[in-house]
Amino acid sequence: YYYYYYDWKVRPATCSEVSNNEELQNAEIEIYPNPASSFLSLKADLLDDKKVIIYDVIGNRMNCVGERKTGEIHFNIEHLNAGIYLISIGDTVRKFTKN
């Protein structure tokens, strides 16, 4: 057996700014209508520069085209099967239901 000893130094960290990812996680994100059948809208203040991806519950990336406007994205989801889907917005994940 091998034993490893690490002399880890722990020092306090200070945060003077909140990152955009943390702000987005704490921000109000609206997904409507939920459940949806044809189109899905996503609205958040810090959405403009974030990568938004839709996945099924297994983790497969869905091919959905979104139209961006300031603070909003509108997706055409007509081609998706009925079920639960996940939306990845930067480091934040939300879910929606397709009828």
Side-chain angles (χ1 to χ4, degrees):
Y1 292 101
Y2 293 95
Y3 294 97
Y4 296 97
Y5 174 75
Y6 295 100
D7 188 16
W8 295 97
K9 304 287 186 211
V10 178
R11 59 185 170 88
T14 59
C15 298
S16 58
E17 296 180 8
V18 177
S19 72
N20 284 342
N21 288 338
E22 289 174 359
E23 288 177 2
L24 185 60
Q25 287 177 352
N26 295 329
E28 182 71 26
I29 299 172
E30 294 179 51
I31 299 173
Y32 59 92
N34 192 6
S37 57
S38 299
F39 292 91
L40 182 76
S41 296
L42 185 65
K43 184 176 182 180
D45 291 334
L46 302 170
L47 193 58
D48 294 332
D49 63 340
K50 298 295 179 212
K51 187 174 189 178
V52 179
I53 303 170
I54 297 177
Y55 297 95
D56 64 11
V57 291
I58 301 172
N60 297 317
R61 186 175 177 166
M62 301 289 98
N63 186 16
C64 295
V65 177
E67 178 185 339
R68 278 188 188 261
K69 296 182 180 178
T70 303
E72 290 186 38
I73 301 177
H74 305 282
F75 289 99
N76 181 348
I77 59 168
E78 288 178 314
H79 64 285
L80 297 180
N81 293 326
I84 296 173
Y85 292 87
L86 305 173
I87 301 179
S88 171
I89 312 152
D91 292 337
T92 303
V93 177
R94 297 289 192 266
K95 71 177 181 176
F96 75 93
T97 304
K98 164 74 163 72
N99 289 351

